[in-house]
Amino acid sequence: MTEARGSAGPNGGTHGRRAPGTPCWVSLMVHGLTTTEEFYGELFGWEFEPGPEQLGPCVRALLDGRWVAGIGELAPGLALPIAWTPYFASDDVGLTAETVRLCGGTVGVGPLDAADEGRLLLASDTSGAVFGVWQGMPGHPVTGVHGTPAWNKLLTFETESVSKFYKTVFGYEEEPVVTADFDDYVTLCLADGPVAGIHGVGQSLPRGRGSHWLTYFQVDDADGALRRVAELGGRVLEPAHDTAHGRVATVTDPEGAPFSVVQDPR
């Protein structure tokens, strides 16, 4: 898997216990919560409900009454890159925090309780990319339809060192991918199959952003989604193009958070 996976994305394993390392959630921290809700609501058809009070001003995005993603509001004056953050499942978030530190990562927030929704933390890997860990993420997130997370890919300088970090923290197996389009790409796998990708892009990393995770959202029409993004105040970073895994494009929302959209091949 090198681009996106529509059938086993961040909410893969929607019933019962999620295996450690399984992507289980995505969230976004922004300055303008209301305007961000309007953007993603129009683009993906999301509706919103209040999130846990312990996490500050935040909402859950829903499709058909089921959770899809979380959006929170940054404290005034806090200058952080606006980006989607994937969360990975854990049986013991405290132990995962210790492992992150032992492997050279940094725990920035938590572990902390999220009411009846388990415990979570935010950390950064050895390349500086931010990710989350969630123990006991409840509910049955919806997947496989327009507006749902489909895949997560880490964009970093090179894959070797950072892939060792994730393999140790979450027990992933590594599957190198060699194609004409990717010189340095590995897929992280669990027993059930691929869960995420790491793409080493060298000096092509965006200036001022550094290593970061990129979330792919499934759409019915990639070209139509690009037109809608522009109408809603977003920006196209990479025009739609066909891949072995569907038609893919990369965009930003009005606050500059990058994400990709993928239309499954028919």
Side-chain angles (χ1 to χ4, degrees), residues 165-184:
F165 170 86
Y166 285 101
K167 286 161 62 180
T168 304
V169 172
F170 294 113
Y172 296 131
E173 295 293 330
E174 178 183 313
E175 180 181 309
V177 176
V178 180
T179 71
D181 297 324
F182 298 100
D183 294 327
D184 186 13

Side-chain angles (χ1 to χ4, degrees), residues 8-221:
N11 301 320
T14 57
H15 298 279
R17 173 183 172 275
R18 293 178 177 85
T22 303
C24 60
W25 192 243
V26 291
S27 72
L28 175 67
M29 296 297 293
V30 298
H31 296 289
L33 188 57
T34 300
T35 55
T36 300
E37 288 181 51
E38 292 173 354
F39 174 84
Y40 287 101
E42 290 290 335
L43 182 63
F44 292 142
W46 291 352
E47 297 179 339
F48 300 92
E49 68 177 19
E53 293 182 2
Q54 293 92 331
L55 303 182
C58 63
V59 295
R60 298 188 197 93
L62 302 95
L63 278 174
D64 297 326
R66 292 184 289 173
W67 300 351
V68 176
I71 302 176
E73 190 167 65
L74 290 165
L78 187 60
L80 292 173
I82 307 299
W84 281 97
T85 300
Y87 286 71
F88 302 94
S90 171
D91 286 340
D92 185 338
V93 73
L95 179 59
T96 302
E98 293 179 13
T99 308
V100 165
R101 295 188 183 100
L102 288 172
C103 291
T106 302
V107 176
V109 177
L112 55 83
D113 294 326
D116 297 328
E117 297 164 11
R119 305 185 73 217
L120 59 84
L121 64 82
L122 285 171
S124 56
D125 62 29
T126 51
S127 74
V130 176
F131 65 97
V133 180
W134 205 313
Q135 174 187 342
M137 174 63 186
H140 304 295
V142 61
T143 63
V145 297
H146 178 87
T148 58
W151 185 247
N152 289 297
K153 180 173 73 176
L154 174 61
L155 295 172
T156 188
F157 181 75
E158 54 83 26
T159 63
E160 184 175 1
S161 60
V162 74
S163 66
K164 290 179 181 178
F165 170 86
Y166 285 101
K167 286 161 62 180
T168 304
V169 172
F170 294 113
Y172 296 131
E173 295 293 330
E174 178 183 313
E175 180 181 309
V177 176
V178 180
T179 71
D181 297 324
F182 298 100
D183 294 327
D184 186 13
Y185 193 106
V186 298
T187 300
L188 301 175
C189 304
L190 292 173
D192 291 337
V195 295
I198 303 179
H199 188 188
V201 297
Q203 300 299 331
S204 297
L205 276 174
R207 182 176 298 179
R209 183 171 289 276
S211 296
H212 63 282
W213 282 94
L214 184 71
T215 295
Y216 288 66
F217 292 93
Q218 187 163 327
V219 294
D220 294 332
D221 177 359

